[in-house]
Amino acid sequence: MTLAREPLKPAPSRLQRLIGRWWRQQSPARQDRFATIGPLVSVLLFLAAITAAFWYLRTEEIDRATDALRRDTEVAQQQIRLHLIENQEQLVRIARELVTRDIDTAEFLGQAGAFQRERPEVRHFTWVNAQRRVRASQAVLTFHPDDDTNSTRIDPSLPAEGRRGEAEYAFLAARDTRQPVYSRPFTDASGVAVFQVQVPLLDRNSFAGTLIVEYSVEALVRFFVPTEVTRRHLISVLGPDQQVLVSTVAAMPGQPSAAPSLQYDLPLAPMSNGLTLRGQGYRTSIGLIGNTLFWMVVALSVLTVWMLLGTWRHMRRRAQIQNALVQETNFRRAMENSMLTGMRAMDKDGRVTYVNPAFCAMTGFAETDLIGRHPPFPYWPPDRIEENSRLLQQELQGRSPVGGIEVKVMRKDGSIFDARMYVSPLIDPKGQQTGWMTSMTNITEAKRIRDQLSASHERFTTVLEGLDAAVSVLSVQQSEQLFSNRSYRLWFGADARGHGLLANSSSGAPYRPEPDEEVDSFSGMPTQPLTESGAQPREVYIESLQMWFDVRARYLQWTDGRLAQMLIATDITARRRVEEQAQQQAEKAQVTSRLITMGEMASSVAHELNQPLTAINNYCNGMISRVRNETIATDDLIAALQKTGRQAERAGQIIHRIRAFVKRSEPQRQPAHARDIVEDAVELAGIELRRRKVAIHTYVAQHLPNLHVDPILIEQVLMNLLKNAAEAIDNAHLPVTRRHIELRVIPRHTPEEGGVIEFSVTDMGPGMKEEVLARLYEAFFSTKADGLGIGLSLCRSIIESHRGRIRAQNLYNGDLVTGCRFAFTLPVDLTQRAEPQPVPDVPDAAAASNPNASAS
């Protein structure tokens, strides 16, 4: 009896052993995941293979349709190209015969007609000479309506010099290249899309014109594109701007045509004139999405995937719960390790159960040194064990303050730092308290900064309290006094009313909102521009204190964000008193200067008054004598009395001028005309000028703007300058030709002063030395033996008080001094409109005594 032997199993290959070893190395969860993903991947690979097969078949069919479209388009291009080349050769032959044989118009028309009958695409055949005049033309019969516009219509098919057109461009190209030229497509007079070929006529290498043959693009496509091509595909011709000129298929009116899925373009050679032959086709196969078999495969695959996903989701749910637990644990541990705040947990007996790495880093102790320790803890300073024990008992009893407690902590190396601890209870999942959690923060740096800020605030307050000026800060919205220093409290007390007085309010009370104001009027104000604006100083007089203050105010943002106003008031009472005394002395000096001037002019004034008084005396004696003799008529008596009255009026005017000039009055600035000031000054100075036989020439510009000045003071300056000039001329004993003064008043505009009016006094005297010019305006400096030296110094003070400038200079003719010129400027009053004034003749002060004087 023989036993049947079992067949031997083949030994596993090396790849199988590697796969088995890798599978055994995986965890059970990963093996389950791979077992689920395997069938899912197989179904997806099967679906991808079916989709790729359908896609390949569809792409192959599209390639075949594209090749067929390309072949048909190339066939149409070759048909048109060969026909055009044949026509071009025939035209070259006809052009050669035209220049070599004497062909008349009739014979040319016969050849053109024969050429055109065999070629229906030719619209017209034209012979043009070098001057663009038509010698002969053969055209197809087309209907043109007889109207007035056709008689004047410009034919675009013929070249014309100076006209922009495709026919003209082709004519010029044929003339320049001496070769047949194809024009770019255009629309002829009938609205048909055409292009031309122009063959040059060369007679012994000289240009004699062109033969113009015009082709219809539509006829070329209709007659020379094979019928089998147009049945399969749409053939169209495009212009240079890619606009369709001719197509083998016309679109239905009002209906959009479907976009072709296949397209192939070729240039319409041999013209190279921008025409493009385009072939278009449509795919006949259905798309991948519309295939029924494809969707059946997709539906079965989706069903299989859905079942596999359901199994996988159930397995993942258990794995997700495990991962969530691990992630939560890792997150809490990472958060605790990354915190800068130290965390310490204790049970109810005060035993440390947990510390985080930040707590260990703060104290310098390791986790093993702290876990399980009971008080006293190693980070307690030896001198504070009793205090820390009391705080710990308070913590275990749940009586720790909400704001935390500040303690001293000792590091392992013995250094001490300040810390703040916050305590909260530890609650287990059942709601029972198991201990206490303490968070500790190092506040050493914060405490140091706080101490520095306190010291800085104390220093700042000490400085403000020591100021002699009053400093106060008032809230704009609530009118609340936010700060006041010692000087403010000394003068105004702690009330905000003093702030209102310094701010120059009408009632002296700070701003308070009305009861019905529900909206803060300052809430929308731009705080930054207000706080950045500079302080404008003002001088305020406080009646109750009898004191003057220099007040500077500005807006600032208070520490709590509120808009506030700060005032700095400096006591300037002593300075104001000094200024008032100086002003009084200046006024007295001005009056004294005028009295001195009149005293110096006393003899001239007496002489000036003597003339009208002598005339009055003579008139009265004459009238008395003639009345006694009864030899005077009534009319003569009246005339003599009128002359006597005029002389008395003249004497009164002189006295009135002198009295108005020297009387003491308060300085009063008012709008004044420059001409009026000049008239008064010249009339008064004329007394002295006539005595010294000095002429004066005046010029005052018309339409001058008004001045805002004290007229008496400006008149005093002019009087002083005119008198000094007359004295310089008289003391130098100059001849009559140089005994005159020029007074000019003109407007000027300079970058430094702006718009001003300039007064200038120019004399022909000996001038002044340079050292005198340097000390000219010094007080009590004078070149006169009996002078006091206050005249020019006072003049400068008066002009500068009116915001003007005064200057003096010598006049030269080469190196020779020929005179001196004083000039001063006054700013114009822009608030007053300049009024046109009459131009009276300014009196010439020396006209009576100097016959050579004249007024300009």
Side-chain angles (χ1 to χ4, degrees):
M1 181 177 180
T2 59
L3 295 176
R5 299 178 61 183
E6 294 181 0
L8 297 177
K9 294 183 179 180
S13 63
R14 182 179 179 182
L15 178 62
Q16 292 176 346
R17 289 196 302 271
L18 291 176
I19 294 176
R21 187 183 308 162
W22 173 80
W23 180 261
R24 287 189 297 274
Q25 291 177 353
Q26 306 301 318
S27 63
R30 190 177 294 272
Q31 290 179 358
D32 293 342
R33 187 180 304 169
F34 285 141
T36 306
I37 292 178
L40 178 61
V41 172
S42 301
V43 173
L44 293 178
L45 291 176
F46 173 74
L47 179 61
I50 293 297
T51 304
F54 276 103
W55 186 265
Y56 172 77
L57 294 176
R58 180 173 176 272
T59 304
E60 186 177 3
E61 183 178 359
I62 292 175
D63 292 340
R64 287 197 301 269
T66 303
D67 292 341
L69 175 63
R70 182 170 61 253
R71 287 194 300 271
D72 288 347
T73 306
E74 291 175 351
V75 168
Q77 181 206 31
Q78 290 296 328
Q79 291 290 334
I80 297 175
R81 179 176 178 273
L82 292 175
H83 185 72
L84 293 176
I85 293 175
E86 180 185 352
N87 291 349
Q88 179 178 330
E89 294 175 352
Q90 183 68 18
L91 290 173
V92 170
R93 184 186 59 79
I94 295 175
R96 189 179 303 112
E97 291 180 357
L98 284 177
V99 298
T100 57
R101 295 171 51 196
D102 189 10
I103 298 178
D104 57 2
T105 303
E107 187 176 355
F108 169 77
L109 292 177
Q111 292 183 6
F115 181 86
Q116 193 173 13
R117 282 192 298 274
E118 297 174 358
R119 297 166 178 82
E121 74 278 7
V122 176
R123 290 189 57 82
H124 72 77
F125 195 149
T126 306
W127 177 13
V128 178
N129 62 8
Q131 288 75 31
R132 301 176 178 80
R133 288 197 294 272
V134 178
R135 295 285 304 276
S137 179
Q138 177 72 28
V140 297
L141 296 177
T142 55
F143 174 73
H144 297 284
D146 296 333
D147 54 9
D148 295 338
T149 60
N150 285 334
S151 61
T152 59
R153 178 182 300 174
I154 297 175
D155 190 356
S157 299
L158 296 178
E161 185 174 4
R163 188 177 67 194
R164 299 167 61 90
E166 301 299 336
E168 175 65 16
Y169 295 153
F171 179 83
L172 296 176
R175 184 185 65 183
D176 296 338
T177 61
R178 308 299 174 91
Q179 296 290 333
V181 175
Y182 287 87
S183 70
R184 294 167 65 89
F186 62 93
T187 303
D188 64 357
S190 302
V192 179
V194 297
F195 67 92
Q196 294 180 349
V197 57
Q198 297 196 20
V199 181
L201 302 177
L202 303 177
D203 186 7
R204 297 182 183 88
N205 291 329
S206 62
F207 182 73
T210 61
L211 288 181
I212 301 177
V213 175
E214 187 172 272
Y215 291 102
S216 170
V217 180
E218 186 271 335
L220 278 176
V221 174
R222 178 157 47 89
F223 290 106
F224 297 102
V225 177
T227 306
E228 59 271 14
V229 173
T230 58
R231 289 176 180 174
R232 289 193 297 268
H233 301 101
L234 186 150
I235 303 299
S236 58
V237 178
L238 282 67
D241 55 355
Q242 297 300 309
Q243 294 292 329
V244 177
L245 302 178
V246 175
S247 178
T248 57
V249 176
M252 293 297 293
Q255 296 183 2
S257 57
S261 55
L262 301 176
Q263 180 175 301
Y264 186 69
D265 294 345
L266 286 174
L268 196 59
M271 292 91 71
S272 298
N273 58 349
L275 290 176
T276 303
L277 186 66
R278 173 174 290 177
Q280 297 174 330
Y282 298 88
R283 293 194 296 267
T284 57
S285 62
I286 62 176
L288 183 65
I289 304 302
N291 197 305
T292 305
L293 179 60
F294 170 77
W295 282 111
M296 292 177 62
V297 174
V298 170
L300 293 175
S301 301
V302 169
L303 180 61
T304 305
V305 169
W306 179 74
M307 295 176 65
L308 292 174
L309 288 177
T311 305
W312 190 26
R313 187 182 302 111
H314 179 72
M315 296 176 62
R316 287 186 59 190
R317 189 172 301 163
R318 183 178 62 183
Q320 287 176 355
I321 295 175
Q322 296 176 354
N323 293 335
L325 180 60
V326 173
Q327 290 178 0
E328 182 68 22
T329 303
N330 294 336
F331 173 76
R332 294 173 65 94
R333 184 173 301 169
M335 182 178 64
E336 293 172 359
N337 294 338
S338 63
M339 290 177 59
L340 299 178
T341 303
M343 306 295 295
R344 180 198 66 184
M346 296 186 305
D347 57 14
K348 290 187 175 182
D349 297 332
R351 184 174 61 90
V352 177
T353 59
Y354 167 79
V355 289
N356 70 337
F359 192 92
C360 296
M362 284 184 184
T363 59
F365 293 95
E367 184 178 357
T368 56
D369 298 335
L370 299 176
I371 298 297
R373 294 292 297 267
H374 287 81
F377 298 120
Y379 52 82
W380 283 3
D383 56 343
R384 292 180 177 267
I385 292 179
E386 182 178 354
E387 179 183 356
N388 289 338
S389 299
R390 180 179 57 80
L391 293 176
L392 179 61
Q393 293 300 323
Q394 182 179 347
E395 178 181 346
L396 295 177
Q397 296 173 7
R399 293 186 292 108
S400 297
V402 178
I405 54 177
E406 187 173 333
V407 296
K408 295 285 186 179
V409 179
M410 183 180 68
R411 296 187 179 92
K412 190 174 183 179
D413 59 2
S415 59
I416 305 295
F417 67 92
D418 295 306
R420 182 174 293 277
M421 291 186 174
Y422 300 89
V423 182
S424 60
L426 279 176
I427 307 298
D428 62 4
K430 297 180 180 180
Q432 301 295 326
Q433 182 177 355
T434 60
W436 301 92
M437 176 62 72
T438 304
S439 62
M440 183 175 68
T441 305
N442 189 345
I443 62 171
T444 304
E445 185 66 18
K447 188 176 182 181
R448 184 183 65 82
I449 295 175
R450 183 181 60 191
D451 294 341
Q452 289 180 352
L453 289 177
S454 300
S456 176
H457 179 267
E458 184 177 356
R459 289 193 299 269
F460 181 69
T461 304
T462 303
V463 171
L464 290 181
E465 290 292 334
L467 288 177
D468 292 335
V471 180
S472 65
V473 181
L474 183 74
S475 172
V476 176
Q477 290 92 339
Q478 291 82 19
S479 298
E480 176 187 354
Q481 189 82 22
L482 303 177
F483 175 81
S484 60
N485 68 340
R486 180 185 59 83
S487 298
Y488 180 90
R489 295 191 299 272
L490 180 63
W491 289 330
F492 303 102
D495 191 6
R497 185 175 298 275
H499 189 101
L501 292 173
L502 294 175
N504 201 17
S505 61
S506 58
S507 60
Y511 170 80
R512 297 187 183 277
E514 298 294 333
D516 57 347
E517 288 186 356
E518 298 178 357
V519 180
D520 181 11
S521 59
F522 292 93
S523 60
M525 294 181 65
T527 306
Q528 184 175 0
L530 281 176
T531 56
E532 291 180 355
S533 61
Q536 297 295 332
R538 294 182 298 105
E539 294 185 357
V540 178
Y541 180 71
I542 304 300
E543 184 70 27
S544 58
L545 300 177
Q546 298 292 315
M547 295 173 63
W548 281 94
F549 292 94
D550 178 78
V551 180
R552 297 173 183 267
R554 69 170 301 164
Y555 290 93
L556 52 85
Q557 200 165 5
W558 197 240
T559 55
D560 56 0
R562 288 184 292 176
L563 183 63
Q565 185 188 43
M566 180 179 68
L567 291 180
I568 301 177
T570 306
D571 182 13
I572 59 171
T573 305
R575 192 194 76 187
R576 287 295 297 244
R577 290 173 181 172
V578 171
E579 290 177 354
E580 291 176 358
Q581 292 176 0
Q583 183 178 0
Q584 293 174 2
Q585 294 296 333
E587 293 175 1
K588 292 179 181 179
Q590 293 167 6
V591 175
T592 303
S593 176
R594 292 198 293 269
L595 291 175
I596 291 173
T597 301
M598 286 294 100
E600 294 174 351
M601 295 173 55
S603 60
S604 300
V605 171
H607 176 72
E608 190 72 15
L609 287 175
N610 186 51
Q611 293 181 357
L613 294 178
T614 303
I616 292 173
N617 186 34
N618 292 336
Y619 282 129
C620 291
N621 291 333
M623 285 185 294
I624 292 173
S625 175
R626 295 184 64 180
V627 167
R628 286 176 178 175
N629 297 330
E630 297 181 354
T631 59
I632 186 171
T634 304
D635 295 337
D636 296 337
L637 180 61
I638 293 174
L641 291 174
Q642 290 176 347
K643 292 179 180 181
T644 303
R646 284 195 294 270
Q647 293 297 326
E649 184 179 357
R650 178 185 173 188
Q653 289 178 353
I654 295 173
I655 295 173
H656 174 73
R657 291 285 186 187
I658 295 173
R659 183 175 181 275
F661 181 73
V662 301
K663 75 174 182 178
R664 183 170 182 175
S665 61
E666 294 293 330
Q668 182 178 5
R669 297 191 183 185
Q670 57 189 359
H673 300 303
R675 182 174 296 276
D676 297 339
I677 297 174
V678 170
E679 288 179 357
D680 294 341
V682 169
E683 184 175 352
L684 196 57
I687 300 173
E688 181 71 10
L689 297 181
R690 285 191 292 271
R691 185 178 70 83
R692 296 182 180 271
K693 296 182 175 57
V694 176
I696 182 170
H697 304 267
T698 61
Y699 171 77
V700 181
Q702 299 186 22
H703 305 295
L704 290 175
N706 293 340
L707 297 170
H708 190 73
V709 297
D710 188 332
I712 298 298
L713 295 181
I714 304 304
E715 183 181 345
Q716 180 179 351
V717 174
L718 287 176
M719 276 281 299
N720 201 332
L721 297 180
L722 291 173
K723 186 173 69 68
N724 289 346
E727 290 178 355
I729 293 174
D730 192 26
N731 294 336
H733 306 289
L734 296 177
V736 177
T737 56
R738 295 184 59 181
R739 299 180 71 88
H740 61 269
I741 301 172
E742 182 182 18
L743 172 60
R744 295 176 60 85
V745 183
I746 57 174
R748 285 191 182 278
H749 188 279
T750 61
E752 298 82 6
E753 300 178 88
V756 295
I757 295 179
E758 182 185 68
F759 296 76
S760 63
V761 176
T762 306
D763 62 63
M764 301 293 289
M768 291 180 290
K769 299 179 181 180
E770 294 298 331
E771 56 269 17
V772 174
L773 286 174
R775 302 182 59 190
L776 196 60
Y777 301 108
E778 291 184 10
F780 308 111
F781 172 75
S782 176
T783 59
K784 304 175 186 178
D786 55 348
L788 298 180
I790 63 173
L792 290 178
S793 176
L794 188 61
C795 290
R796 181 178 182 179
S797 301
I798 293 173
I799 296 302
E800 290 182 350
S801 68
H802 287 79
R803 294 182 293 111
R805 295 182 181 179
I806 185 171
R807 57 186 178 274
Q809 60 181 358
N810 287 328
L811 303 179
Y812 293 90
N813 185 5
D815 295 335
L816 181 63
V817 178
T818 60
C820 184
R821 181 174 183 268
F822 279 83
F824 64 88
T825 57
L826 295 174
V828 298
D829 183 12
L830 299 179
T831 61
Q832 300 290 333
R833 183 183 299 274
E835 299 179 358
Q837 307 174 40
V839 187
D841 294 335
V842 178
D844 193 345
S849 61
N850 190 353
N852 296 327
S854 62
S856 301

